[in-house]
Amino acid sequence: MDISFTDQELAFRDEVRTFFAEEIPSALRAKLERGIEIGKQDQVDYQKLLFRQGYFAPNWPKEYGGPGWTTIQKYIYASEMAAAEAPQIIPFGVNMVGPVIYSFGSEEQKKRFLPDILESNVWWCQGYSEPGSGSDLASLKTRADLEGDHYLINGTKTWTTLGQYADWIFVLARTNTEVARRQEGISFILIDMSTAGISVKPIITLDGAHEVNEVHFENVRVPLENLVGDEGKGWTYGKVLLQHERTNLTGVAHSKVRLARLRKQAGEAIRGAEPLRSDRNFMRRLGAIDVELKALEITDLRTLAAVASGKAPGPESSILKIKGTEVAQMIDALEMEAAGYYALPYVPAQYQVNFDDAARIGYKNETLTSLRYFNNRKASIYGGSNEIQKNIVAKHVLGL
Ligand SMILES: Cc1cc2nc3c(=O)[nH]c(=O)nc-3n(C[C@H](O)[C@H](O)[C@H](O)COP(=O)(O)OP(=O)(O)OC[C@H]3O[C@@H](n4cnc5c(N)ncnc54)[C@H](O)[C@@H]3O)c2cc1C
């Protein structure tokens, strides 16, 4: 899509572009290029760098520390960040619990938690899913029983992304079982991960990575003041959070960068072979993804504009989540095809060798292809599976 920018917007674009070109530490850049995992400290340092620049919380209202950017500025920022292939922001604090706290939390909670989220002093994780309660989240069984001035928490959360690093977790827990609708008995509670009775157990995924965890709560005492909003309203608050999460999962800017790279690659005669451009089937698929991506981009901008005018992203965010992840996975598949034999299955020990070989002949990106392909299968599951998003669209957008 072609958007014509004003002089001010162009100046802003140049400022953001320069920042990402010059300020990302070279050690971090080298890790990114080699596909080496970015640890907690690297991520925190990077987020602090964004914060100091005023780039960390584009969607927050100004009164809570947001930059007060227009929709176009947010679009420019996301595009430049993706074009620079800068690391993603970890969303659990700034894009998830932060908006819930400034929308529904008490004044004390805003003062206590928001500054540390902005400055990445505290790492948050998300405690929604449970063994047996994923898509049907309202069936969750973790209990929060009120005992005087505190809740006693018992239960298990699962798939908790990067919970091994977390200082705090936000959970949906059942505070009442005597309700007409299961959703009414659920509350939104903030828990310090260092509280006695919490244990974190890693779930090692097929690629050998430690990205997700199980978090167990055994008689964990949590002060009543850590309840956000009203008891029993957690489902409503949690839904707002999920809509923010889904809106943030579109990944348009990132997909555009990847598609442009594929198009460029298709025009090159790599290793003496015919350029992929002469493969009509490949080019037809590339064009089809491009069309989907453009439609997604316009829908995304419409949602951003609605959010900028103070609305929470509604159930339409489910459309963004489905399309954004479908497009990303289509690009994953096309990249695999373009890389051919160079997209070897991800075998960590072999990976480094393969990377160095590929780097020598100048195709270092290809070796990340299979890693990205397999890892990104998760995208149509987390944030609520795409099948469930289709149910939401059918019911709440189409009214079926
Ligand atoms: C990598 C990764 C990271 C995650 N991180 C977090 C996290 O940090 N915090 C957190 O709380 N959760 C997290 N999740 C959990 C995620 O939200 C759940 O996996 C997701 O909601 C699906 O739930 P489930 O795994 O229990 O699958 P199930 O609910 O058992 O679903 C299994 C399959 O059945 C389909 N299905 C189920 N019900 C229906 C229906 N009514 N109609 C049509 N199809 C249906 C689903 O689409 C899916 O394909 C993560 C998941 C992954 C994979």
Side-chain angles (χ1 to χ4, degrees):
M1 188 170 67
D2 291 326
I3 294 180
S4 44
F5 297 132
T6 63
D7 287 346
Q8 262 178 332
E9 286 160 352
L10 286 173
F12 175 75
R13 185 196 64 186
D14 291 345
E15 178 195 307
V16 177
R17 191 171 287 177
T18 307
F19 171 81
F20 281 117
E22 293 179 1
E23 300 299 329
I24 295 182
S26 51
L28 180 59
R29 169 86 50 212
K31 280 189 185 174
L32 290 169
E33 282 174 5
R34 298 179 75 83
I36 296 170
E37 193 188 327
I38 295 179
K40 178 177 183 175
Q41 198 53 51
D42 282 331
Q43 184 70 36
V44 169
D45 290 347
Y46 167 67
Q47 293 187 176
K48 282 179 177 290
L49 180 72
L50 294 181
F51 169 71
R52 285 195 296 275
Q53 186 70 15
Y55 285 0
F56 185 56
N59 294 319
W60 282 32
K62 226 170 168 183
E63 61 178 306
Y64 297 120
W69 287 344
T70 61
T71 304
I72 295 291
Q73 281 178 303
K74 288 179 196 171
Y75 170 86
I76 291 172
Y77 171 71
S79 305
E80 292 301 321
M81 193 182 196
E85 305 200 55
Q88 306 281 313
I89 286 170
I90 300 292
F92 304 109
V94 68
N95 291 335
M96 294 194 192
V97 74
V100 169
I101 293 174
Y102 66 61
S103 304
F104 307 109
S106 64
E107 285 312 310
E108 291 74 42
Q109 287 170 339
K110 291 179 198 174
K111 276 200 208 97
R112 180 175 174 198
F113 294 110
L114 296 182
D116 278 338
I117 292 174
L118 278 177
E119 292 183 45
S120 296
N121 291 334
V122 169
W123 188 295
W124 285 85
C125 65
Q126 178 186 27
Y128 277 22
S129 308
E130 297 182 5
S133 299
S135 300
D136 183 17
L137 191 57
S139 70
L140 62 85
K141 294 188 182 58
T142 293
R143 291 182 67 112
D145 297 313
L146 189 57
E147 296 204 348
D149 62 354
H150 65 270
Y151 286 110
L152 207 57
I153 313 277
N154 279 287
T156 297
K157 295 292 175 182
T158 193
W159 304 118
T160 318
T161 301
L162 302 180
Q164 72 269 33
Y165 296 150
D167 305 301
W168 281 72
I169 183 168
F170 53 92
V171 301
L172 289 178
R174 190 160 297 287
T175 37
N176 191 350
T177 48
E178 315 276 304
V179 282
R181 284 176 67 242
R182 297 178 303 174
Q183 287 83 346
E184 287 163 13
I186 293 173
S187 299
F188 194 102
I189 300 172
L190 313 175
I191 305 176
D192 183 339
M193 289 289 278
S194 64
T195 319
I198 300 181
S199 54
V200 180
K201 302 229 162 64
I203 300 173
I204 303 301
T205 43
L206 276 176
D207 57 2
H210 179 194
E211 195 174 306
V212 283
N213 302 272
E214 266 190 8
V215 182
H216 300 270
F217 299 86
E218 209 181 320
N219 293 326
V220 176
R221 286 169 63 99
V222 176
L224 185 55
E225 69 209 35
N226 291 10
L227 169 76
V228 176
D230 297 330
E231 196 180 87
K233 291 268 176 64
W235 186 260
T236 310
Y237 310 147
K239 237 169 45 182
V240 171
L241 178 152
L242 281 173
Q243 285 163 350
H244 278 282
E245 177 182 4
R246 285 166 194 155
T247 308
N248 285 313
L249 289 175
T250 347
V252 167
H254 199 230
S255 289
K256 278 175 74 176
V257 170
R258 292 175 63 201
L259 207 62
R261 191 190 297 126
L262 259 179
R263 196 176 282 286
K264 181 167 176 288
Q265 189 180 339
E268 293 165 355
I270 298 175
R271 301 174 205 107
E274 275 280 291
L276 271 167
R277 198 177 40 201
S278 58
D279 180 339
R280 285 181 59 191
N281 188 37
F282 183 89
M283 294 311 286
R284 186 185 54 73
R285 284 167 59 201
L286 192 85
I289 299 173
D290 212 355
V291 172
E292 296 270 4
L293 187 53
K294 285 200 167 78
L296 175 66
E297 185 173 26
I298 293 164
T299 314
D300 196 22
L301 278 169
R302 274 212 313 260
T303 311
L304 270 178
V307 173
S309 68
K311 290 187 198 146
E316 301 79 14
S317 61
S318 295
I319 301 173
L320 296 175
K321 199 263 164 171
I322 298 167
K323 276 291 163 195
T325 52
E326 279 180 358
V327 165
Q329 290 183 341
M330 284 192 273
I331 298 175
D332 292 336
L334 213 56
E335 279 184 354
M336 287 287 275
E337 201 173 307
Y341 297 128
Y342 284 78
L344 287 174
Y346 178 61
V347 181
Q350 185 173 359
Y351 175 64
Q352 207 57 43
V353 177
N354 181 33
F355 181 95
D356 289 340
D357 278 351
R360 220 175 15 252
I361 53 173
Y363 297 102
K364 59 187 177 182
N365 187 57
E366 289 173 358
T367 53
L368 297 176
T369 309
S370 55
L371 172 62
R372 199 158 38 211
Y373 176 89
F374 288 115
N375 190 279
N376 204 30
R377 305 315 295 163
K378 67 189 177 187
S380 41
I381 303 171
Y382 63 41
S385 77
N386 284 13
E387 290 78 18
I388 294 300
Q389 301 319 303
K390 285 178 187 168
N391 290 348
I392 294 173
V393 173
K395 196 164 163 195
H396 299 289
V397 181
L398 303 174
L400 299 175

